[in-house]
């Protein structure tokens, strides 16, 4: 398992030097400053590679850009509206440029409008640190009373609606503004953000797109780009919905094992693969992460390892980002399944036997609380998570467990 770390570029408050001290082997990054739908040029790709390869003092870091996260899929492609065909062609050109630069793995998602959704970006936990949280009642208050989406109340139980009504009535103007910013925060590092009017406009169009149509649009996209990825030696890996259930009346098509299997079967080539995110998928009580890894592992090209603590047994329920070895996912069993898959790949002679992973998200602890990096991406919280994950890997790879690198 190759240890990687997400980096948002020169403006990231977590530096290349910080990553080296954390023991990172490779870097996950993207050109967030390039507008979605435009081509990633060789010059911009090379610039990011140089930035990753250089320490703060100008000396070589020894690090490489291993995984792209994300080469974003435009809303036009998802909805098959406007310039969607040109955007697909631009996507293909960017893929060629990345392949020419020696980068082989491209993570992306097909989530409508928002890349992830939380109601709190700095929820305080028992030990005094903070984390991101999704509060079902707060979200209902936003959807029903702030966004005022038509039919929003019908998507929640009577109990949730009653609690949301009460909470909104007691909510200060400052909290209303904060909640709106949190829900529409989007991808850290991105130049894009959404106003309420932007969100309403997108929702109006998606209201006419059922899940079956969105899945068909996704398959059409993959039929265009996955064969090229195979030709170029690239591996595409789709990130799951976050959270993995419907919000704002939007269609969700990558929330369960069945969703992934449908897409893998529809475009059945090795380049069409999976980003297995244990945090996103783990927010649903009916997702079996170790089982998914064992059943779909052949197509897992990238791993996000994090944990969430579900606060109810409901599919649509509150949860918060837990410590990497806390929460509802059996991380030891999941990593054991990953190592089993790697052993199978080595035996088969596959060049992708070592699956890159990153310690996804992390709680803000110690000096993280002063640094205020991108929500979910603190230095020390992720370092702690990486150390814990590294400990599990080291133990399971001991010959006594039969999962050593020799297979």
């Amino acid at each position: 398992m190759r240890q990687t770390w997400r980096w948002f570029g020169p403006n990231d408050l977590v530096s290349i030097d910080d990553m080296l001290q954390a023991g990172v082997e490779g870097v996950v990054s993207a050109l967030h400053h390039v507008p979605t739908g435009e081509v990633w040029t060789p010059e911009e790709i090379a610039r990011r590679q140089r930035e990753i390869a250089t320490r703060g003092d100008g000396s070589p870091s020894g690090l490489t850009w291993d995984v792209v996260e994300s080469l974003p899929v435009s809303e036009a492609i998802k909805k098959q509206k406007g310039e969607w065909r040109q955007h697909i062609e631009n996507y293909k050109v960017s893929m060629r440029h990345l392949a020419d630069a020696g980068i082989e793995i491209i993570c992306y998602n097909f989530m409508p409008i928002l890349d992830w959704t939380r109601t709190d970006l700095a929820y305080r936990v028992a030990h005094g640190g903070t984390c991101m949280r999704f509060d079902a009642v707060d979200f209902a208050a936003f959807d029903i009373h702030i966004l005022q989406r038509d039919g929003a109340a019908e998507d929640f139980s009577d109990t949730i609606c009653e609690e949301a009504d009460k909470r909104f009535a007691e909510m200060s103007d400052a909290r209303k503004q904060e909640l709106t910013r949190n829900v529409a925060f989007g991808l850290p590092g991105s130049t894009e953000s959404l106003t309420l009017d932007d969100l309403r406009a997108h929702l109006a169009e998606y209201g006419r797109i059922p899940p079956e149509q969105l899945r068909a649009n996704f398959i059409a996209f993959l039929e265009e780009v996955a064969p090229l990825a195979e030709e170029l030696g690239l591996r595409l890996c789709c990130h799951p919905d976050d959270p993995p259930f419907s919000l704002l009346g939007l269609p969700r098509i990558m929330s369960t094992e069945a969703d992934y299997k449908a897409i893998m079967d529809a475009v059945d080539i090795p380049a069409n693969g999976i980003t297995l995110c244990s945090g996103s998928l783990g927010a649903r009580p009916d997702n079996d992460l170790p089982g998914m890894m064992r059943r779909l592992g052949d197509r897992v090209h990238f791993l996000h390892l994090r944990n969430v603590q579900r606060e109810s047994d409901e599919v649509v329920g509150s949860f918060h980002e837990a410590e990497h070895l806390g929460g509802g996912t059996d991380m030891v069993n999941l990593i054991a399944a990953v190592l089993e898959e790697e052993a199978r790949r080595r035996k088969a002679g596959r060049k992708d036997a070592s699956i890159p992973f990153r310690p996804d998200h992390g709680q803000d602890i110690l000096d993280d609380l002063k640094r205020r990096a991108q929500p979910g991406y603190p230095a020390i919280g992720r370092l702690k998570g990486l150390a814990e994950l590294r400990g599990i890997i080291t133990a399971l790879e001991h010959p006594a467990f039969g999962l050593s690198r020799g297979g």
Side-chain angles (χ1 to χ4, degrees):
M1 295 175 67
R2 183 167 175 80
Q3 302 169 40
T4 66
W5 188 277
R6 192 172 193 180
W7 189 59
F8 294 102
N11 294 327
D12 195 326
L13 296 179
V14 181
S15 69
I16 297 294
D17 291 48
D18 293 336
M19 287 190 279
L20 283 171
Q21 292 172 26
V24 171
E25 297 171 325
V27 177
V28 178
S29 193
L31 304 181
H32 298 294
H33 58 285
V34 178
T36 299
E38 294 190 7
V39 170
W40 287 15
T41 65
E43 294 76 17
E44 289 296 326
I45 293 168
R47 178 187 298 177
R48 178 53 48 86
Q49 288 179 309
R50 289 194 300 271
E51 292 164 347
I52 289 169
T54 308
R55 295 175 185 246
D57 63 4
S59 63
S61 70
L63 293 174
T64 55
W65 187 2
D66 288 8
V67 180
V68 170
E69 186 180 348
S70 298
L71 180 58
V73 180
S74 71
E75 292 300 312
I77 292 173
K78 294 170 189 174
K79 294 182 287 192
Q80 291 195 354
K81 300 269 187 179
E83 298 182 303
W84 70 278
R85 294 184 188 276
Q86 184 59 53
H87 286 186
I88 288 181
E89 292 307 309
N90 291 351
Y91 204 95
K92 291 178 179 179
V93 174
S94 297
M95 289 168 56
R96 291 186 183 277
H97 292 165
L98 289 165
D100 289 343
I103 301 170
E104 298 181 351
I105 302 175
I106 298 174
C107 172
Y108 68 98
N109 73 69
F110 217 80
M111 281 180 271
I113 307 178
L114 300 172
D115 280 350
W116 48 263
T117 304
R118 300 291 187 273
T119 56
D120 294 278
L121 304 184
Y123 173 72
R124 190 163 297 278
V125 294
H127 57 53
T130 63
C131 68
M132 297 200 295
R133 180 172 184 252
F134 177 86
D135 184 303
V137 174
D138 271 356
F139 187 81
F142 167 81
D143 195 6
I144 297 168
H145 297 288
I146 298 176
L147 184 62
Q148 297 181 348
R149 179 174 62 89
D150 289 343
E154 298 171 10
D155 290 347
F156 301 97
S157 69
D158 290 343
T159 300
I160 291 291
C161 287
E162 291 171 6
E163 292 179 5
D165 292 346
K166 180 179 179 181
R167 189 167 297 180
F168 180 77
E170 298 172 350
M171 197 176 288
S172 68
D173 288 342
R175 174 54 183 160
K176 292 173 186 176
Q177 294 172 5
E178 178 188 44
L179 179 58
T180 299
R181 288 194 303 270
N182 291 350
V183 171
F185 190 83
L187 179 67
S190 175
T191 59
E192 299 180 31
S193 60
L194 293 175
T195 66
L196 283 177
D197 286 340
D198 293 333
L199 187 53
R200 291 183 183 112
H202 279 301
L203 289 172
E205 292 194 359
Y206 272 109
R208 296 187 289 272
I209 301 176
E212 296 77 14
Q213 183 61 53
L214 184 63
R215 182 175 285 109
N217 294 354
F218 186 17
I219 291 170
F221 166 73
L222 287 172
E223 288 174 341
E224 289 283 337
V225 301
L228 177 61
E230 190 79 12
E231 174 189 328
L232 296 172
L234 297 171
R235 300 190 292 283
L236 300 175
C237 38
C238 185
H239 188 281
D241 301 324
D242 184 8
F245 44 76
S246 181
L247 297 175
L248 302 174
L250 292 167
R252 291 294 220 196
I253 58 169
M254 296 301 286
S255 294
T256 66
E257 181 174 349
D259 289 337
Y260 268 108
K261 190 172 187 310
I263 293 299
M264 299 303 108
D265 289 346
V267 184
D268 192 11
I269 58 177
N272 176 29
I274 298 168
T275 296
L276 190 71
C277 178
S278 59
S280 297
L281 293 166
R284 278 183 74 114
D286 53 350
N287 277 334
D288 167 21
L289 273 299
M292 290 178 70
M293 184 65 215
R294 290 187 169 94
R295 291 184 289 272
L296 304 177
D298 182 64
R299 302 278 277 276
V300 172
H301 299 323
F302 185 35
L303 293 154
H304 289 180
L305 297 181
R306 65 179 170 93
N307 227 320
V308 297
Q309 181 62 59
R310 296 187 300 273
E311 298 172 22
S312 77
D313 293 328
E314 302 296 323
V315 169
V316 182
S318 302
F319 62 87
H320 63 270
E321 308 275 2
E323 296 175 316
H324 283 72
L325 302 190
T329 295
D330 182 348
M331 196 63 72
V332 175
N333 194 9
L334 174 56
I335 291 176
V338 175
L339 294 174
E340 290 164 9
E341 173 60 26
E342 289 189 333
R344 283 191 291 273
R345 295 184 185 190
R346 285 192 296 273
K347 188 174 181 179
R350 284 175 55 165
K351 61 175 290 189
D352 61 342
S354 181
I355 303 173
F357 79 94
R358 65 176 179 84
D360 194 17
H361 296 184
Q363 296 183 344
D364 287 73
I365 57 175
L366 305 176
D367 288 352
D368 289 332
L369 296 167
K370 299 175 183 177
R371 191 187 305 232
R372 298 186 181 278
Q374 285 92 341
Y377 292 94
I380 301 171
R382 280 189 292 168
L383 168 60
K384 178 175 180 285
L386 179 58
E388 293 171 340
L389 298 171
R390 187 185 292 136
I392 294 174
I393 295 166
T394 301
L396 290 176
E397 286 186 329
H398 191 280
F401 292 91
L403 294 172
S404 65
R405 292 189 184 274

